[in-house]
Amino acid sequence: MHWLPQRNKLDSDQNDACDACLSAILAPSPGDPLGASLGIPSRASALAPVRWVQGSAGTGKTVVLVHALREAKRRAPNLSMVFVTYTHALKALVADGLDDDTRRSVHVMTAHEFKNTGRNCSVLFVDEVQDLKPDMISDLRRRCSKMVIGGDPIQTIYDESASPEDISRIVSAQPIVLDIMYRLTRNLLAIAASIHPAARLQDARLSRLRNVDVMLGQAETLEQEADWVWRRAREGAQLGSPTAILLPTHKEIRNFLRRVAQLEGLDDAPFVKMKEYDEKNAVLAAAGLPLQYLGNGHGDLEDSNRRKMVYLMTYHSAKGLDFEQVYLPCLTPKLSIHYKDPDLASRLLYVAVTRAREGLFLTRTGPGLHPLVAQIPDALFSPVAIGAEEDEESDDDVYF
């Protein structure tokens, strides 16, 4: 998956942010220059300033962190460096952005994996820091001499995650704010702002002036909806540029996989169990279908570099990733995005819609819409009657 732009393609703010991170990493730790080089944290070296790269969805926070890591490793190859993420999917994306030499000398892992190693390091990069609990952030800070973090508090999507105040108190972070959004077009930004007004996106600076259509589809049956989403997502996938189908829960993932299996004439028995995703991915691969569940350590993002691929993910697992085309099916009034917290539900759907770089496709079966989608102005959508377009296409082939 080709996602990381070259350093010379970054804007001036992103380059300045990268340089600020590098200056913090490469500066001697106060009172402990030797400890920093050996990767042994001490009370004195823990006072080294922490840089916090902030910004809304699509501003390039992960891009800045990865470039800072690559450049720091080139300038100081003896420093022990670790890059941690919250999700396995983002871990795979970060690893994909490293060159072979850096990948061999830098550990990329989830925060929980790093905690379980019991190891320390000279420099620790932490992406999506807002999803970590306060005690996890405290533990990570004790394990390193220098720390660079990235994250947007507005995109917190987990219970008991650290607040911005928690993060600042624990790590004494110096913010670096990125405010140009590269991923979203104007209508995608307007949709995101309608779903989660607290994101305060009205003053966001956009680098992209053109718009793309956002489709809102309505099917008559669940099977019809699944067939349309699966077929369109498969057609849209390109080598190195996969498409994504996102659903909020594992129950919805399971149901969608069963419908695709039935459409493709496969035995749906392997898709009944809730989280046996390795088995499900193996069945899909054996059938020659370019579809994988990606998340929780399952699936392989690098497969999209070898063949056209569609990834099926939860909203949670898609955090930090982006795709040319994103499909969000099953958006009916009955869909449970979050089982108890309306604010987290809006944050999750906000994260889901902001994964799209070009095409965003929202679908449901029946006339009703999920309340979070129903509040989006109709003018931002291009309506699609799923099924009717197939009838029109078949009519074109009938001549009298």
mmCIF file of all heavy atoms in Angstrom, residues 11 13-14 56-60 178-183 204-208:
data_model
loop_
_atom_site.group_PDB
_atom_site.id
_atom_site.type_symbol
_atom_site.label_atom_id
_atom_site.label_comp_id
_atom_site.label_asym_id
_atom_site.label_seq_id
_atom_site.Cartn_x
_atom_site.Cartn_y
_atom_site.Cartn_z
ATOM 1 N N ASP A 11 4.591 19.700 3.011
ATOM 2 C CA ASP A 11 4.476 21.152 3.013
ATOM 3 C C ASP A 11 5.402 21.744 4.069
ATOM 4 O O ASP A 11 6.042 21.022 4.849
ATOM 5 C CB ASP A 11 3.019 21.594 3.213
ATOM 6 C CG ASP A 11 2.471 21.288 4.604
ATOM 7 O OD1 ASP A 11 3.242 21.256 5.573
ATOM 8 O OD2 ASP A 11 1.247 21.094 4.720
ATOM 9 N N ASP A 13 4.796 23.373 6.844
ATOM 10 C CA ASP A 13 4.410 23.072 8.223
ATOM 11 C C ASP A 13 4.812 21.655 8.613
ATOM 12 O O ASP A 13 5.305 21.419 9.731
ATOM 13 C CB ASP A 13 2.898 23.243 8.409
ATOM 14 C CG ASP A 13 2.466 24.701 8.376
ATOM 15 O OD1 ASP A 13 3.349 25.578 8.456
ATOM 16 O OD2 ASP A 13 1.257 24.957 8.261
ATOM 17 N N GLN A 14 4.594 20.716 7.708
ATOM 18 C CA GLN A 14 4.972 19.330 7.991
ATOM 19 C C GLN A 14 6.487 19.191 8.103
ATOM 20 O O GLN A 14 6.984 18.469 8.983
ATOM 21 C CB GLN A 14 4.427 18.405 6.901
ATOM 22 C CG GLN A 14 2.912 18.279 6.909
ATOM 23 C CD GLN A 14 2.385 17.547 5.697
ATOM 24 O OE1 GLN A 14 2.969 17.604 4.612
ATOM 25 N NE2 GLN A 14 1.272 16.850 5.855
ATOM 26 N N SER A 56 -6.102 17.578 12.778
ATOM 27 C CA SER A 56 -7.317 16.845 12.449
ATOM 28 C C SER A 56 -7.005 15.687 11.508
ATOM 29 O O SER A 56 -5.854 15.501 11.081
ATOM 30 C CB SER A 56 -8.340 17.787 11.800
ATOM 31 O OG SER A 56 -8.661 18.853 12.660
ATOM 32 N N ALA A 57 -8.037 14.922 11.199
ATOM 33 C CA ALA A 57 -7.881 13.790 10.279
ATOM 34 C C ALA A 57 -7.341 14.274 8.937
ATOM 35 O O ALA A 57 -7.813 15.264 8.375
ATOM 36 C CB ALA A 57 -9.229 13.095 10.076
ATOM 37 N N GLY A 58 -6.313 13.586 8.435
ATOM 38 C CA GLY A 58 -5.790 13.909 7.112
ATOM 39 C C GLY A 58 -4.764 15.006 7.062
ATOM 40 O O GLY A 58 -4.392 15.461 5.977
ATOM 41 N N THR A 59 -4.248 15.447 8.218
ATOM 42 C CA THR A 59 -3.230 16.509 8.211
ATOM 43 C C THR A 59 -1.802 15.959 8.111
ATOM 44 O O THR A 59 -0.865 16.729 7.926
ATOM 45 C CB THR A 59 -3.339 17.384 9.472
ATOM 46 O OG1 THR A 59 -3.328 16.545 10.633
ATOM 47 C CG2 THR A 59 -4.624 18.198 9.462
ATOM 48 N N GLY A 60 -1.631 14.653 8.260
ATOM 49 C CA GLY A 60 -0.313 14.056 8.064
ATOM 50 C C GLY A 60 0.478 13.814 9.333
ATOM 51 O O GLY A 60 1.715 13.816 9.309
ATOM 52 N N LEU A 178 -0.573 20.766 13.073
ATOM 53 C CA LEU A 178 -0.731 20.736 11.622
ATOM 54 C C LEU A 178 -2.184 21.089 11.320
ATOM 55 O O LEU A 178 -3.102 20.486 11.869
ATOM 56 C CB LEU A 178 -0.412 19.345 11.068
ATOM 57 C CG LEU A 178 0.967 18.780 11.407
ATOM 58 C CD1 LEU A 178 1.091 17.348 10.904
ATOM 59 C CD2 LEU A 178 2.070 19.646 10.810
ATOM 60 N N ASP A 179 -2.417 22.062 10.430
ATOM 61 C CA ASP A 179 -3.800 22.498 10.213
ATOM 62 C C ASP A 179 -4.250 22.480 8.761
ATOM 63 O O ASP A 179 -5.347 22.956 8.439
ATOM 64 C CB ASP A 179 -4.031 23.894 10.797
ATOM 65 C CG ASP A 179 -3.145 24.958 10.177
ATOM 66 O OD1 ASP A 179 -2.360 24.617 9.267
ATOM 67 O OD2 ASP A 179 -3.233 26.123 10.593
ATOM 68 N N ILE A 180 -3.445 21.912 7.874
ATOM 69 C CA ILE A 180 -3.877 21.753 6.483
ATOM 70 C C ILE A 180 -4.303 20.304 6.283
ATOM 71 O O ILE A 180 -3.510 19.381 6.494
ATOM 72 C CB ILE A 180 -2.768 22.115 5.485
ATOM 73 C CG1 ILE A 180 -2.333 23.569 5.682
ATOM 74 C CG2 ILE A 180 -3.251 21.912 4.052
ATOM 75 C CD1 ILE A 180 -1.203 23.999 4.763
ATOM 76 N N MET A 181 -5.550 20.102 5.859
ATOM 77 C CA MET A 181 -6.085 18.755 5.682
ATOM 78 C C MET A 181 -5.897 18.326 4.234
ATOM 79 O O MET A 181 -6.407 18.969 3.310
ATOM 80 C CB MET A 181 -7.564 18.716 6.080
ATOM 81 C CG MET A 181 -7.812 19.158 7.518
ATOM 82 S SD MET A 181 -9.552 19.157 7.974
ATOM 83 C CE MET A 181 -9.841 17.395 8.124
ATOM 84 N N TYR A 182 -5.163 17.228 4.051
ATOM 85 C CA TYR A 182 -4.854 16.754 2.706
ATOM 86 C C TYR A 182 -5.790 15.649 2.241
ATOM 87 O O TYR A 182 -5.951 15.429 1.049
ATOM 88 C CB TYR A 182 -3.408 16.257 2.646
ATOM 89 C CG TYR A 182 -2.416 17.377 2.671
ATOM 90 C CD1 TYR A 182 -1.941 17.877 3.879
ATOM 91 C CD2 TYR A 182 -1.987 17.983 1.500
ATOM 92 C CE1 TYR A 182 -1.051 18.933 3.912
ATOM 93 C CE2 TYR A 182 -1.096 19.045 1.520
ATOM 94 C CZ TYR A 182 -0.627 19.506 2.731
ATOM 95 O OH TYR A 182 0.235 20.556 2.763
ATOM 96 N N ARG A 183 -6.398 14.940 3.157
ATOM 97 C CA ARG A 183 -7.184 13.783 2.766
ATOM 98 C C ARG A 183 -8.584 14.172 2.302
ATOM 99 O O ARG A 183 -9.121 13.589 1.365
ATOM 100 C CB ARG A 183 -7.293 12.796 3.927
ATOM 101 C CG ARG A 183 -8.073 11.524 3.593
ATOM 102 C CD ARG A 183 -8.293 10.683 4.820
ATOM 103 N NE ARG A 183 -7.036 10.431 5.496
ATOM 104 C CZ ARG A 183 -6.922 10.222 6.803
ATOM 105 N NH1 ARG A 183 -7.991 10.254 7.577
ATOM 106 N NH2 ARG A 183 -5.747 9.983 7.348
ATOM 107 N N ALA A 204 -11.064 24.659 9.188
ATOM 108 C CA ALA A 204 -9.962 23.839 8.675
ATOM 109 C C ALA A 204 -9.479 24.365 7.321
ATOM 110 O O ALA A 204 -10.266 24.851 6.498
ATOM 111 C CB ALA A 204 -10.412 22.388 8.541
ATOM 112 N N ARG A 205 -8.183 24.275 7.115
ATOM 113 C CA ARG A 205 -7.583 24.651 5.828
ATOM 114 C C ARG A 205 -7.460 23.400 4.967
ATOM 115 O O ARG A 205 -6.941 22.378 5.404
ATOM 116 C CB ARG A 205 -6.215 25.283 6.049
ATOM 117 C CG ARG A 205 -6.247 26.571 6.850
ATOM 118 C CD ARG A 205 -4.847 26.939 7.309
ATOM 119 N NE ARG A 205 -3.943 27.140 6.189
ATOM 120 C CZ ARG A 205 -2.609 27.143 6.307
ATOM 121 N NH1 ARG A 205 -2.045 26.945 7.495
ATOM 122 N NH2 ARG A 205 -1.854 27.341 5.260
ATOM 123 N N LEU A 206 -7.957 23.491 3.743
ATOM 124 C CA LEU A 206 -7.934 22.340 2.843
ATOM 125 C C LEU A 206 -6.929 22.568 1.728
ATOM 126 O O LEU A 206 -6.821 23.668 1.178
ATOM 127 C CB LEU A 206 -9.316 22.100 2.234
ATOM 128 C CG LEU A 206 -10.458 21.765 3.208
ATOM 129 C CD1 LEU A 206 -11.750 21.564 2.443
ATOM 130 C CD2 LEU A 206 -10.121 20.518 4.005
ATOM 131 N N SER A 207 -6.214 21.503 1.371
ATOM 132 C CA SER A 207 -5.273 21.614 0.262
ATOM 133 C C SER A 207 -5.938 21.232 -1.053
ATOM 134 O O SER A 207 -5.422 21.509 -2.121
ATOM 135 C CB SER A 207 -4.065 20.704 0.494
ATOM 136 O OG SER A 207 -4.440 19.346 0.371
ATOM 137 N N ARG A 208 -7.086 20.577 -0.987
ATOM 138 C CA ARG A 208 -7.746 20.067 -2.185
ATOM 139 C C ARG A 208 -9.015 20.886 -2.429
ATOM 140 O O ARG A 208 -9.896 20.945 -1.586
ATOM 141 C CB ARG A 208 -8.102 18.594 -1.998
ATOM 142 C CG ARG A 208 -6.889 17.725 -1.733
ATOM 143 C CD ARG A 208 -7.288 16.348 -1.273
ATOM 144 N NE ARG A 208 -8.099 15.680 -2.268
ATOM 145 C CZ ARG A 208 -8.532 14.427 -2.118
ATOM 146 N NH1 ARG A 208 -8.246 13.739 -1.042
ATOM 147 N NH2 ARG A 208 -9.262 13.865 -3.045
#
